[in-house]
Amino acid sequence: AATIVMFISCAIPIAFGDALVQRADLRDDHLDTVFWACAGFGTVLYIALCLSTPMIAAWAETPALNALLPVIGIRLILESLTVVPTSLVTRSVQFRFIALRTTLANLLGGGVCIAMVLMGSGYWALAISQVLSSLVSVLVMLPAARWRPGLAVTRKATADLWNFGIFSAGNR
């Protein structure tokens, strides 16, 4: 389930966050356009995953995927929400927030995973710990960025970021 979600997440335009980091004249419409594009892709991909879960579970001959994929798939939405905040934190060279995010996500996710395993939760321990790690990332990076999304989504912003974003996506 985690591998399937990771594979699907490749379709989220995360690489456009790299374009935000390198852009000399960063405007609000750049940030809003990338945020809503990523959030939109993440949401659409999550819905598509949920709708296709029965087919995936049948193909894999693994009925547990029917329950696991929609839960782990929440990561598609959560991780898409952190693209712009992470780019802004990186751009401002505030790496302590990235370290804080990684440390808290690993400690909390790992701690919950171990506790759930000891309580007999089986593979659900891994599923919940992954979603929790992504949630911690959102909760750390959004305030760290000191930015809130607006509605200034423009074609010009997309055009400004397109070449570097596509290059970065291909490079990834």
Side-chain angles (χ1 to χ4, degrees):
T3 302
I4 291 167
V5 170
M6 187 183 318
F7 179 75
I8 293 170
S9 73
C10 293
I12 298 171
I14 292 171
F16 279 83
D18 297 341
L20 296 176
V21 173
Q22 68 85 36
R23 181 106 187 134
D25 61 326
L26 192 60
R27 302 184 312 262
D28 287 340
D29 63 330
H30 292 129
L31 300 172
D32 293 347
T33 299
V34 172
F35 178 83
W36 291 112
C38 289
F41 269 89
T43 302
V44 167
L45 290 169
Y46 176 70
I47 291 168
L49 173 67
C50 289
L51 293 174
S52 62
T53 290
M55 292 178 286
I56 295 169
W59 172 78
E61 299 177 0
T62 309
L65 289 176
N66 283 306
L68 280 170
L69 279 173
V71 173
I72 295 177
I74 293 169
R75 294 184 70 198
L76 294 168
I77 297 171
L78 293 173
E79 291 178 6
S80 70
L81 298 177
T82 63
V83 172
V84 171
T86 301
S87 298
L88 289 172
V89 167
T90 302
R91 183 180 169 95
S92 66
V93 195
Q94 298 290 322
F95 298 120
R96 70 180 182 274
F97 290 113
I98 294 172
L100 176 66
R101 173 205 62 195
T102 303
T103 302
L104 288 177
N106 288 340
L107 286 175
L108 193 56
V112 166
C113 183
I114 291 169
M116 288 181 71
V117 165
L118 293 175
M119 294 180 348
S121 297
Y123 54 74
W124 283 106
L126 294 171
I128 297 302
S129 70
Q130 286 190 15
V131 174
L132 185 60
S133 293
S134 294
L135 179 61
V136 167
S137 183
V138 171
L139 295 176
V140 171
M141 297 313 282
L142 278 174
R146 295 189 177 124
W147 170 82
R148 296 292 173 262
L151 299 176
V153 177
T154 65
R155 285 187 176 159
K156 179 168 178 14
T158 302
D160 291 345
L161 301 170
W162 185 258
N163 286 339
F164 190 89
I166 289 299
F167 167 77
S168 186
N171 198 33
R172 284 176 180 254

